[in-house]
Amino acid sequence: MSTSRTTPRHPTSGEPDFPTWLAGLPDETLVRLCERRADVATPPPASLGVLASRLRLPASTARALGTLTWPELLVLSTAAALGADSGPVPIGAVSERLGVDQGDAAFRAAVDTLRDLALFWGEITHARIVPVTGAAVDAAPVTAPRPGEPVGTRLDAAWSGLSDRALGVLTAVARGRSPAGSLGPAASETVRAAAAELVEAGLASVTATGDGEVVVPRAHALDRARHGARSSGSSLLDLPWWSASGTGSRRPAGTGATAGTSSGDSIDASGGVAALDLLHRCDAVIATLSLHPAATLKAGGVGVRELRRIARSAGVGEAELPLLLEVLAAAGLIAVGDTDVGETGFDSVWAPTEAADVWAARDRARRWADLVLAWWSMPRAPWRVGSEIEGGGTVPALGDPVGPPAAGERDRVLRALSGLEPGAAPGDELVPEVVRWFSPMWFSRAGSRPCSEIVAEARRLGLVVGTTATSAARLLVSGPPAATPSVDDLEPVLSAALPEPVSEVIVQADLTILAPGPLVPELAADFELLADVESAGAATTYRVTETSLRRALDSGRTAAGIRELLARTSVTPVPQSLDYLIEDVARRHGRLRAGAALSFLRCDDPSLVAQVLGSPVVERCAVRSVAPTVLISQARPLDLVEALREHGFAPVVEDTSGAVVALTRPMARVRAAAPGRARRVPTRLATPSELRTAIAAMRSADRVRAARGPSGAGTPVRPPSPACTRPRGRAPR
């Protein structure tokens, strides 16, 4: 949007001095500039003049503005409003317009950043910007302060006198992508009256554009509408109240719901609880795809019907399933390919890879780290699944990437939350404003939805608790955007956040077993076999059912062994109801014996055999009687056993010696065609030593060019050969 200028613009004024200023900078300053603006150093420029030309390209300038925070963009906009693209503007004039001292820490930090990016140039006491930067700032979503606009007590008085309709219009404009609201022909009289009230109060201006009129809030009014009233001594460049630790108790009136506060340790511990639930749900999805791989659409990806089936079988919500699938795919734990499940073949389906078995055997911190890094680097955005595609249709899960690079969006959102104090919790309503503060240019293009959706995904990954970044999230953004920490760097941080494993449980009378923390691995395997997981997290709740008990007995456990396990690990006495259930299931378990005929059934009780012959299993599995106590079937033993169990029977499978054996379904596995995690940045950035070498080469090239002079006089000229001086048309003798 446009900003008012105190001096006329002269686009070419002083621009030839920019290369000279650049050449006079120390090498270390140039190295820092090339690190901050890596696009101008790739490939290495031939000379400092070429580097100066690249720095003034509109595309490079736009990238540089995209890295600025709101205070930095506001300082740049204020300098442009004072005419810095036409000539030098005193730094003191810029600070005075912003209402801060020239030595203010936030102001000096912003000025230093702008100089490091070569967006400010010239004498250290003045600010100059090249015309292309001035043009970019004109279109930026920022409003520079104007002389005489209400500030302090005057702003308080003007604000208190606003009607509800005027306050609503101002808030709506302030929370939009750009701080300008259209007053086109469709605007109602109420909105126009509210805009006129804001203009009369000095809190906004109405400007005519090619598309009609727009209402533009003043800088201080815009800040108050977004962040609430400033405390005494706070300026437009200072982080608002929501950046401090313990924000829940100091939220200004009228800024939304109260946010919670927590210490850093408790935040990390809560993230660890979310991670345990994540691991449980990922295991459930892998188990489901092992038996029933997901079919792909003709255009690629997985359709809505398949998603519903997987969610129902795995016991996860349909809304969270795209995230789980995308993370598992990015980690290389599931892939698309051809596979077999038993004697059934599947073509082009999503199924677990062999790496999934290796991953399942790792410790919890390493498994969590693999998922976190996969999410951090993956190119697809799970939250876009189900969104409409231009031209018709919706975005499928596990399809081609849609929209802007998702890894960069995650970096901006988590970097913004990590820029606050560890205990700050601004709340969901203010998350977009937090992101806007740290990435205003990106926010003006993306809007608020990616901010909220990415935070929701980060919560499921255990990287954000409420709206507070955990230590793991802060580690992810501790380096430049192009850098990603390794698993070895991340694993210790995640390990410290996970709760300590326990070896005791609480067996309750309602047939549930409560584990007050994650169980040690050997007990976790026993209880997952003995009971079904009802809920996972800091405390895991298991429920014992007839089906789960039969599962344990099928695997070779005995009733006495189950009782001993419960008595040894429970801090409470085993309730009588559970003891009776174990005895009842064990008594009925194994009375029917299945074998291969393809399969057979034998039982010493002819009445039970008669019940089987009267059930729907006879037709489904082609069962017939060969003796009063023996039946045979054309179904495989496992299919026959499962069909009998569905109709209330409790058979087991035996081998040729009569011993009970446990049969399991074959699991689908595919070979991943490529590594699961793609590199975040496809090109390698130059190192500081390489940049120093490149800058030395640029200076050397400039010295050679200067020695030659403007006409190349410094280079010896060879006399022309006789052949080159002969008159045309005359042949040599």
Side-chain angles (χ1 to χ4, degrees):
M1 58 176 298
S2 61
T3 56
S4 63
R5 298 179 179 274
T6 58
T7 58
R9 167 182 278 187
H10 303 289
T12 59
S13 174
E15 189 173 3
D17 294 337
F18 180 75
T20 304
W21 168 82
L22 189 69
L25 294 177
D27 286 359
E28 287 305 314
T29 302
L30 290 175
V31 168
R32 188 163 59 250
L33 168 61
C34 291
E35 286 179 327
R36 298 289 296 270
R37 296 179 66 170
D39 59 305
V40 302
T42 306
S47 66
L48 290 175
V50 174
L51 178 62
S53 298
R54 291 184 183 179
L55 288 169
R56 290 175 290 179
L57 291 174
S60 178
T61 302
R63 292 190 190 98
L65 260 64
T67 66
L68 298 182
T69 63
W70 180 262
E72 295 159 357
L73 189 61
L74 190 58
V75 171
L76 182 62
S77 175
T78 303
L82 292 170
D85 57 348
S86 301
V89 172
I91 291 293
V94 179
S95 64
E96 182 180 358
R97 177 66 65 89
L98 288 166
V100 299
D101 294 332
Q102 191 171 340
D104 180 80
F107 178 75
R108 292 308 314 173
V111 170
D112 291 344
T113 298
L114 295 173
R115 287 195 177 277
D116 287 344
L117 294 169
L119 297 175
F120 272 3
W121 66 281
E123 295 291 334
I124 196 70
T125 57
H126 289 72
R128 298 184 70 180
I129 61 176
V130 296
V132 69
T133 302
V137 173
D138 280 349
V142 62
T143 300
R146 297 191 181 187
E149 69 176 69
V151 180
T153 56
R154 291 178 54 219
L155 178 61
D156 293 338
W159 197 273
S160 61
L162 290 179
S163 64
D164 291 342
R165 65 183 182 184
L167 191 59
V169 168
L170 179 57
T171 302
V173 173
R175 294 294 175 88
R177 297 188 183 186
S178 176
S182 174
L183 290 177
S188 65
E189 291 300 323
T190 301
V191 173
R192 292 185 178 276
E197 183 180 346
L198 293 173
V199 173
E200 184 178 357
L203 301 180
S205 63
V206 174
T207 307
T209 65
D211 298 328
E213 293 181 322
V214 294
V215 55
V216 182
R218 299 297 191 206
H220 290 82
L222 182 68
D223 180 81
R224 180 155 183 170
R226 287 177 176 171
H227 312 302
R230 289 275 183 177
S231 59
S232 177
S234 178
S235 72
L236 294 176
L237 305 181
D238 294 322
L239 276 165
W241 62 271
W242 38 252
S243 66
S245 180
T247 53
S249 59
R250 297 189 292 109
R251 179 183 291 265
T255 54
T258 301
T261 61
S262 300
S263 65
D265 291 343
S266 64
I267 289 294
D268 290 346
S270 298
V273 171
L276 294 177
D277 186 62
L278 171 73
L279 295 176
H280 168 69
R281 294 174 185 275
C282 287
D283 288 339
V285 172
I286 289 175
T288 297
L289 295 179
S290 296
L291 299 178
H292 303 286
T296 57
L297 300 170
K298 290 183 179 180
V302 178
V304 175
R305 184 176 301 176
E306 279 292 275
L307 292 179
R308 290 173 179 168
R309 178 187 64 80
I310 297 169
R312 185 170 55 253
S313 300
V316 301
E318 291 184 26
E320 65 179 322
L321 181 59
L323 173 63
L324 300 177
L325 291 175
E326 295 285 6
V327 169
L328 290 173
L333 304 180
I334 64 173
V336 64
D338 301 337
T339 187
D340 297 324
V341 180
E343 297 179 0
T344 305
F346 294 91
D347 298 331
S348 186
V349 293
W350 283 93
T353 65
E354 296 174 355
D357 299 318
V358 177
W359 177 77
R362 290 173 173 164
D363 63 88
R364 297 168 302 154
R366 177 58 185 270
R367 298 175 71 203
W368 185 15
D370 288 336
L371 298 181
V372 166
L373 292 179
W375 175 79
W376 185 241
S377 304
M378 66 187 190
R380 290 189 289 259
W383 63 267
R384 295 188 187 275
V385 172
S387 302
E388 294 185 0
I389 303 175
E390 186 176 355
T394 58
V395 178
L398 300 173
D400 294 331
V402 176
E409 294 184 326
R410 296 185 199 104
D411 183 275
R412 289 186 182 274
V413 174
L414 260 65
R415 195 173 291 273
L417 292 180
S418 300
L420 310 181
E421 293 184 10
D428 290 332
E429 179 187 355
L430 289 177
V431 163
E433 296 305 325
V434 175
V435 177
R436 190 208 300 269
W437 184 271
F438 289 95
S439 296
M441 296 295 292
W442 175 79
F443 184 89
S444 68
R445 298 189 301 270
S448 60
R449 187 187 175 193
C451 306
S452 303
E453 297 286 359
I454 290 171
V455 168
E457 290 183 1
R459 287 192 190 114
R460 294 190 184 279
L461 269 293
L463 298 174
V464 171
V465 176
T467 54
T468 303
T470 64
S471 298
R474 295 175 185 275
L475 177 61
L476 288 175
V477 299
S478 59
T484 301
S486 66
V487 173
D488 294 336
D489 295 331
L490 190 60
E491 188 175 355
V493 177
L494 300 182
S495 180
L498 289 169
E500 289 295 328
V502 298
S503 57
E504 293 180 332
V505 298
I506 302 172
V507 181
Q508 304 179 107
D510 61 352
L511 303 183
T512 60
I513 301 173
L514 178 65
L519 292 172
V520 294
E522 56 274 15
L523 285 183
D526 287 336
F527 278 95
E528 286 175 5
L529 187 66
L530 174 63
D532 299 322
V533 178
E534 268 196 349
S535 64
T540 304
T541 302
Y542 299 89
R543 179 167 292 279
V544 181
T545 64
E546 288 191 19
T547 302
S548 68
L549 285 173
R550 281 200 300 266
R551 183 172 65 229
L553 294 171
D554 289 344
S555 69
R557 303 297 197 275
T558 63
I562 293 174
R563 291 195 191 93
E564 188 275 333
L565 171 67
L566 295 175
R568 172 168 49 88
T569 58
S570 178
V571 297
T572 58
V574 178
Q576 196 175 41
S577 56
L578 179 56
D579 200 26
Y580 284 163
L581 179 63
I582 295 172
E583 181 65 28
D584 182 59
V585 173
R587 178 176 49 81
R588 293 184 286 111
H589 183 265
R591 293 176 64 191
L592 285 175
R593 302 280 171 163
L598 294 176
S599 58
F600 67 86
L601 286 173
R602 69 176 182 85
C603 181
D604 296 331
D605 186 356
S607 63
L608 184 55
V609 174
Q611 292 179 32
V612 174
L613 289 173
S615 70
V617 177
V618 172
E619 183 176 354
R620 175 177 169 181
C621 297
V623 176
R624 65 186 179 90
S625 174
V626 294
T629 58
V630 180
L631 304 176
I632 61 173
S633 170
Q634 296 303 312
R636 293 189 296 267
L638 185 57
D639 294 334
L640 176 60
V641 167
E642 290 182 348
L644 289 167
R645 287 171 179 167
E646 289 178 7
H647 291 84
F649 299 99
V652 295
V653 180
E654 67 178 10
D655 59 14
T656 55
S657 65
V660 174
V661 296
L663 296 183
T664 58
R665 288 284 180 190
M667 294 187 177
R669 289 293 182 268
V670 298
R671 185 180 298 275
R677 287 198 300 273
R679 294 179 61 186
R680 288 173 60 84
V681 180
T683 56
R684 187 182 68 85
L685 299 179
T687 63
S689 61
E690 291 171 339
L691 290 175
R692 293 187 189 94
T693 302
I695 290 168
M698 292 182 225
R699 291 197 187 278
S700 177
D702 286 344
R703 285 193 297 269
V704 171
R705 187 173 289 103
R708 289 177 178 176
S711 60
T715 303
V717 180
R718 300 173 62 183
S721 66
C724 297
T725 58
R726 292 190 196 102
R728 292 184 179 181
R730 181 177 298 179
R733 291 183 180 182

